[in-house]
Amino acid sequence: MVDDSYNPHEIEPRWQALWADERAFSVPNPSPGEPEWDERSTYVLEMLPYPSGELHMGHVKNYTLGDVVAHFRRRNGWRVLRPMGYDAFGLPAENAAIKEGGQPREITERNIARIREQMQRMGWAIDWDREISTHTPEYYRWTQLLFLKLLECGLAYRKESLQNWCPNDQTVLANEQVVDGCCERCGAEVEKRSLEQWFFRITDYAEALLDEMELLEHWPERVLTMQRNWIGRSEGAELVFRVEGTEIDLPVFTTRPDTLFGATFFVLAPEHPLVTELVAGRPEEEAVRAYVKQAQTRSTIEREEKAKEGVFTGRNVINPVNGKRIQIWVADYVLMEYGTGAIMAVPAHDERDHAFALSHGLPIVQVIAPQQGEVDVQSEAYVSSSIDDVLINSSEFSRLPSPEGKRSIINWLSAVGLGEKKVSYRLRDWLISRQRYWGCPIPVVYCEHCGVVPVPEEELPVLLPEVSDFLPKGRSPLATAEGWLQAKCPSCGGEARRETDTLDTFVDSSWYFIRYCDPQNTAEPWNREIVDHWMPVDQYIGGIEHAILHLMYARFFTKALNDLGMVGFREPFARLFTQGMIHHLGAKMSKSKGNVVMPNPYVERYGADAVRLNILFMGPADQDAEWQDNGIEGTSRFLGRLWRTVLDAAEKPARKPKAPTSLIRKAHQTIAKVTDDIDRRFAFNTPIAAVMELVNEINRGPDDPGVRFAAETAVSLIQPYAPHIAEELWQRLGHERLWCEPWPAYDESLLEQETFELVVQVNGKVRDRLLASAEASKEELVELARSSPRVIALLEGRELRKTIVVPRKLVNLVV
């Protein structure tokens, strides 16, 4: 009698141990000239986790997606590189240690051990020989070397400027880490502080970051749009306004030089370095200083959205096109990080300037008009930039069409030496220094005689010292490490002190994918020939929330390394897939919201295969999904049904029928469907539905001569999703090591039986799309629709009043 008990807790550890013993998914680097060098190689990678805690269901989705792709490509004849590591430095790990009251290293390494155990328990096919962690000296030695390379070529520099300051995390933040005026990590309102900091000159690559997007044809357009908007390329003119009675010139960038004759006042950001000089010793000085101090306490979003306030400096500038005196104001709706921190205010044609002019009784002069009709700029700004607009009140440029007026005014400014055509960017240089303990030390020293001196390469790594008190206090805790702080100047041999700020953790993650290619190399960060063999990453998977942080930083780093001759490619990731987020209790799953669902209890109850299968069956992988406990019960039941079905089929003789049976046809159609969905459509839920349907067909025709072939097909196709049960059943069917078996091929001549995409609606709204047999009855279509996890969640607790079936098209469930 067939033993029909499916026990994942007995099966899964056994296969995990076998994979580990055989190092089943480890892929050594080939040497040039060896046969493996010329074999098809592919690099599949998911964004590495922060070890600030354990993995939650959002991570499970991410890494299971990568697992399916890796298994699929491996079985299609590729040598697959799929490594793993930990983004272990930085605020997430340090804040976790502060919360627990332990040392960052101790807490981080404990979390890494737990995450590794979780990953292995999930059965993910990872090359553990390549495991790295960014907090180890073996890794950050090379992070420091790369910093020195960028310093040497002028891409790293230090300067004093006004910076974003998080009062909660007690550190500066890059512009990309400020969202709506708040710290993207903790949500605290960001302040401004003047500090001397380290930067990477990412603005040198603004044009390349835009132009070379043409290489990213397999990236989501949404991500590229987000990066384009953040880089913010604008064409216009830079011109200078001379402060009346002085030799001081104030440069301004404008995208609307055609409105220059309408500039009726001038505005400086409160942080502009010349504000103090302009009001020094004047009657307005006290009021201006008070206003500047008040403005610095406001967040960016507060400044942009509040009523337009400001203070007059008592100074004027001269409008270069008409020689008119216009007042200089200080107002916090102008931000130092955009443009030059100064604007020519044209209230007739800018809403913010218009509101300011009305508040302070400043003149409003119209200089742009539609060809037909009139507008009242005294009551509302006319902000059109239509090519049909014409210039008015603009001296000899009047009546010119707006585009021609722009060109003519720029040419005139250039001819008289008061301006020139220019391209400006919203992007600012990347602020990389942090006043926190848990990070990569910056490898420079400060010498009274020699200034800033790089630490020699042979002295790397500069080790992060242990400190008793690492709590943030507004300055780096490394400043208290007296023994470590004192150093010898590499240049003159005199006394020097080390840099006490640490590197932004995004520096660590801007090159980790390269180190994976050659992680055991102790002589250099990587061997270029090996890296160029594997890279760029063929398939990168991760969240869209990293679009203008990690993803853009990694692109910049790669381009800089290419220019330095260290890599042979310009972009790090050839293909990018951004998976949807897992939500719980109506919000994105995150530790800070307290709504995380951990996989461990579900793995303990249902097994890893059921968890893996459920997380990808919840809906299209690129869409958000709400976690539902009842969904995993359904996938667990399916695995039990698969188990019984295949064991029953294993008892039947392996025979080849003279002609294809309906079940054999169905198996070939399922192979075609699953292959196309994973390989071409990058769809991951529909292949599961297709295998479920094949299993149902097997159970409907247990006496079909093709039952054994169909069972083997079902097991083979489900293997990327549920590898433990697949390997066990494959062995019960008399075979070995399914993970090494070629992916099943289909016979196109057997694909004639029609299937169609069934649209599933609830109350008339599309909720899912499922593959259905053209021969299915109305009852079977309704049953298929009601088995969808997305539909199950919508039907829970509601009364089904009516079902509408349109054959070969849709099922609408009315509740």
Side-chain angles (χ1 to χ4, degrees):
M1 183 176 179
V2 174
D3 178 9
D4 61 356
S5 60
Y6 165 52
N7 183 358
H9 306 299
E10 185 273 326
I11 294 170
E12 292 177 353
R14 178 153 44 81
W15 283 103
Q16 290 160 12
L18 177 63
W19 294 329
D21 290 343
E22 296 195 2
R23 298 172 63 246
F25 309 115
S26 294
V27 181
N29 285 330
S31 299
E34 290 183 356
E36 294 88 352
W37 188 264
D38 298 320
E39 289 181 6
R40 294 195 305 168
S41 298
T42 187
Y43 189 173
V44 177
L45 184 64
E46 306 94 308
M47 294 179 184
L48 77 177
Y50 293 121
S52 54
E54 297 183 15
L55 302 184
H56 57 65
M57 285 297 182
H59 297 105
V60 172
K61 180 177 183 179
N62 190 35
Y63 300 126
T64 304
L65 280 170
D67 217 45
V68 172
V69 175
H71 278 301
F72 179 82
R73 292 189 178 182
R74 186 180 295 106
R75 293 182 57 201
N76 274 281
W78 294 86
R79 296 181 74 247
V80 179
L81 173 61
R82 194 203 175 202
M84 186 56 64
Y86 315 96
D87 198 0
F89 267 150
L91 289 176
E94 184 172 342
N95 287 342
I98 292 172
K99 185 176 180 180
E100 289 195 41
Q103 286 292 322
R105 188 180 309 280
E106 174 190 337
I107 301 298
T108 297
E109 292 179 353
R110 183 205 65 192
N111 288 342
I112 286 174
R114 289 180 177 175
I115 289 173
R116 184 189 302 112
E117 182 181 355
Q118 282 183 293
M119 290 181 167
Q120 292 170 345
R121 182 64 186 87
M122 291 301 302
W124 290 322
I126 292 167
D127 184 348
W128 289 107
D129 291 341
R130 297 175 183 267
E131 183 182 25
I132 63 172
S133 182
T134 61
H135 82 291
T136 63
E138 292 78 16
Y139 183 89
Y140 69 73
R141 166 191 181 184
W142 304 118
T143 302
Q144 292 173 347
L145 176 65
L146 296 178
F147 170 88
L148 294 178
K149 295 285 187 185
L150 297 184
L151 179 64
E152 183 181 1
C153 70
L155 288 176
Y157 67 96
R158 192 169 185 257
K159 74 170 183 177
E160 182 171 351
S161 63
L162 205 66
Q163 298 303 329
N164 304 305
W165 178 266
C166 176
N168 180 58
D169 286 332
Q170 291 285 297
T171 188
V172 293
L173 302 172
N175 288 338
E176 293 83 358
Q177 291 166 307
V178 180
V179 179
D180 295 334
C182 297
C183 173
E184 59 94 23
R185 178 65 56 190
C186 71
E189 281 199 8
V190 171
E191 302 170 356
K192 293 289 185 179
R193 287 194 182 183
S194 184
L195 298 165
E196 197 164 18
Q197 300 290 288
W198 284 97
F199 295 83
F200 280 153
R201 216 178 290 275
I202 191 173
T203 51
D204 282 11
Y205 285 81
E207 201 69 33
L209 287 166
L210 288 171
D211 292 347
E212 292 174 13
M213 284 183 182
E214 66 182 26
L215 303 174
L216 305 178
E217 57 182 318
H218 299 294
W219 277 43
E221 184 56 37
R222 182 183 172 195
V223 174
L224 298 179
T225 298
M226 291 170 72
Q227 290 199 6
R228 287 191 195 100
N229 292 341
W230 187 260
I231 296 168
R233 186 183 191 277
S234 301
E235 292 187 3
E238 185 172 276
L239 54 149
V240 292
F241 285 71
R242 173 67 57 87
V243 178
E244 185 182 30
T246 74
E247 298 295 315
I248 300 174
D249 286 333
L250 294 172
V252 167
F253 173 81
T254 178
T255 60
R256 296 294 306 272
D258 52 333
T259 67
L260 186 53
F261 283 86
T264 60
F265 61 99
F266 194 90
V267 186
L268 295 174
E271 304 85 6
H272 196 288
L274 288 179
V275 167
T276 303
E277 179 181 343
L278 289 175
V279 299
R282 302 181 64 85
E284 296 83 5
E285 181 176 10
E286 185 177 348
V288 170
R289 285 183 177 275
Y291 179 80
V292 168
K293 184 176 181 181
Q294 180 188 37
Q296 289 179 350
T297 65
R298 294 174 176 150
S299 67
T300 300
I301 191 168
E302 197 180 2
R303 290 170 60 167
E304 289 181 325
E305 294 183 353
K306 71 173 184 61
K308 299 299 173 276
E309 301 172 354
V311 60
F312 179 45
T313 65
R315 293 277 200 171
N316 300 300
V317 291
I318 305 302
N319 188 326
V321 292
N322 56 19
K324 290 187 177 180
R325 300 164 67 243
I326 60 177
Q327 295 179 353
I328 304 175
W329 287 69
V330 177
D332 65 2
Y333 76 91
V334 177
L335 303 175
M336 195 64 210
E337 53 260 42
Y338 301 125
T340 63
I343 66 164
M344 60 175 210
V346 185
H349 305 292
D350 182 274
E351 291 175 347
R352 298 184 309 165
D353 296 343
H354 191 276
F356 192 91
L358 290 180
S359 296
H360 299 281
L362 296 166
I364 300 173
V365 176
Q366 182 179 1
V367 292
I368 303 293
Q371 282 192 348
Q372 303 294 329
E374 296 182 357
V375 293
D376 179 13
V377 297
Q378 300 303 317
S379 60
E380 185 179 12
Y382 179 62
V383 296
S384 169
S385 58
S386 169
I387 59 173
D388 296 325
D389 288 342
V390 296
L391 274 65
I392 62 173
N393 300 322
S394 299
S395 187
E396 69 266 32
F397 304 103
S398 294
R399 308 313 306 168
L400 288 178
S402 184
E404 185 180 340
K406 288 181 181 180
R407 291 191 295 271
S408 297
I409 290 176
I410 290 174
N411 291 338
W412 181 85
L413 288 168
S414 181
V416 299
L418 293 175
E420 60 181 349
K421 184 177 181 181
K422 191 169 183 180
V423 174
S424 181
Y425 299 94
R426 179 176 184 261
L427 180 69
R428 290 294 177 263
D429 281 343
W430 174 11
L431 172 63
I432 58 169
S433 48
R434 296 292 179 269
Q435 292 69 48
R436 295 293 292 256
Y437 166 68
W438 190 237
C440 174
I442 297 174
V444 300
V445 300
Y446 299 94
C447 173
E448 286 188 8
H449 303 290
C450 306
V452 180
V453 183
V455 173
E457 180 179 341
E458 60 270 17
E459 294 182 16
L460 300 181
V462 176
L463 293 173
L464 181 68
E466 297 292 337
V467 297
S468 58
D469 182 5
F470 63 88
L471 297 179
K473 296 181 176 64
R475 67 169 190 154
S476 174
L478 290 181
T480 66
E482 291 294 335
W484 175 88
L485 192 62
Q486 306 306 316
K488 293 292 183 182
C489 174
S491 180
C492 70
E495 295 298 319
R497 60 177 180 83
R498 297 191 185 279
E499 170 63 77
T500 58
D501 285 352
T502 53
L503 287 175
D504 178 11
T505 187
F506 281 102
V507 178
D508 305 326
S509 59
S510 291
W511 72 280
Y512 79 100
F513 40 87
I514 305 178
R515 181 65 178 175
Y516 277 148
C517 298
D518 196 15
Q520 311 305 328
N521 195 329
T522 59
E524 55 187 340
W526 60 79
N527 175 281
R528 175 171 168 174
E529 200 168 11
I530 290 173
V531 166
D532 287 352
H533 171 76
W534 287 112
M535 289 197 68
V537 174
D538 297 283
Q539 183 63 64
Y540 199 40
I541 301 172
I544 198 168
E545 67 270 21
H546 293 294
I548 56 172
L549 285 163
H550 163 61
L551 288 171
M552 191 159 66
Y553 292 156
R555 293 185 63 215
F556 156 68
F557 235 75
T558 301
K559 295 177 193 307
L561 294 174
N562 175 265
D563 288 342
L564 289 170
M566 297 180 73
V567 299
F569 44 89
R570 295 290 290 175
E571 290 288 344
F573 314 120
R575 290 176 179 266
L576 173 69
F577 182 80
T578 53
Q579 86 281 3
M581 299 292 104
I582 300 296
H583 289 240
H584 186 47
L585 303 177
K588 172 190 166 184
M589 203 175 286
S590 73
K591 300 183 188 76
S592 62
K593 292 185 174 69
N595 67 337
V596 296
V597 176
M598 311 303 282
N600 302 32
Y602 296 91
V603 173
E604 290 170 6
R605 181 174 179 184
Y606 298 102
D609 282 343
V611 175
R612 293 167 56 116
L613 205 61
N614 177 66
I615 206 73
L616 296 187
F617 194 46
M618 292 171 67
D622 61 344
Q623 297 180 16
D624 294 350
E626 181 75 18
W627 174 261
Q628 300 286 344
D629 280 352
N630 56 3
I632 196 167
E633 294 176 358
T635 53
S636 179
R637 286 195 299 271
F638 164 70
L639 291 176
R641 188 164 67 253
L642 173 69
W643 177 266
R644 293 187 296 273
T645 301
V646 173
L647 290 189
D648 285 344
E651 293 193 327
K652 301 186 184 298
R655 51 182 175 150
K656 186 175 182 180
K658 294 180 180 179
T661 67
S662 62
L663 199 49
I664 289 176
R665 287 181 179 275
K666 180 65 177 177
H668 280 272
Q669 292 159 8
T670 306
I671 295 170
K673 167 67 176 171
V674 172
T675 302
D676 184 66
D677 281 359
I678 295 176
D679 190 34
R680 186 180 64 84
R681 296 180 60 229
F682 224 66
F684 295 89
N685 60 324
T686 47
I688 301 172
V691 175
M692 287 178 170
E693 186 180 336
L694 175 60
V695 172
N696 290 339
E697 288 294 315
I698 295 172
N699 288 322
R700 291 190 190 103
D703 296 325
D704 188 303
V707 68
R708 188 180 178 94
F709 173 75
E712 290 182 347
T713 299
V715 171
S716 186
L717 295 178
I718 207 66
Q719 181 265 344
Y721 295 86
H724 308 90
I725 190 173
E727 293 292 348
E728 183 71 20
L729 290 174
W730 192 250
Q731 189 176 72
R732 302 273 186 118
L733 287 164
H735 309 298
E736 295 288 338
R737 290 169 175 72
L738 178 53
W739 77 85
C740 297
E741 284 291 313
W743 187 254
Y746 57 87
D747 184 341
E748 290 194 15
S749 68
L750 302 181
L751 306 183
E752 296 172 2
Q753 179 181 338
E754 287 190 45
T755 59
F756 72 96
E757 187 176 66
L758 176 68
V759 176
V760 182
Q761 298 178 337
V762 177
N763 288 351
K765 292 186 177 181
V766 176
R767 298 301 187 182
D768 209 346
R769 298 176 186 272
L770 304 172
L771 187 70
S773 169
E775 299 178 355
S777 65
K778 287 186 176 182
E779 292 75 17
E780 289 171 331
L781 293 177
V782 171
E783 181 184 353
L784 178 62
R786 294 188 65 175
S787 68
S788 162
R790 304 180 77 185
V791 172
I792 289 172
L794 292 168
L795 296 184
E796 188 173 4
R798 305 174 77 180
E799 180 185 350
L800 181 61
R801 294 181 175 273
K802 186 179 180 182
T803 58
I804 301 170
V805 180
V806 180
R808 296 197 177 206
K809 188 172 183 182
L810 67 84
V811 170
N812 182 19
L813 305 174
V814 182
V815 297

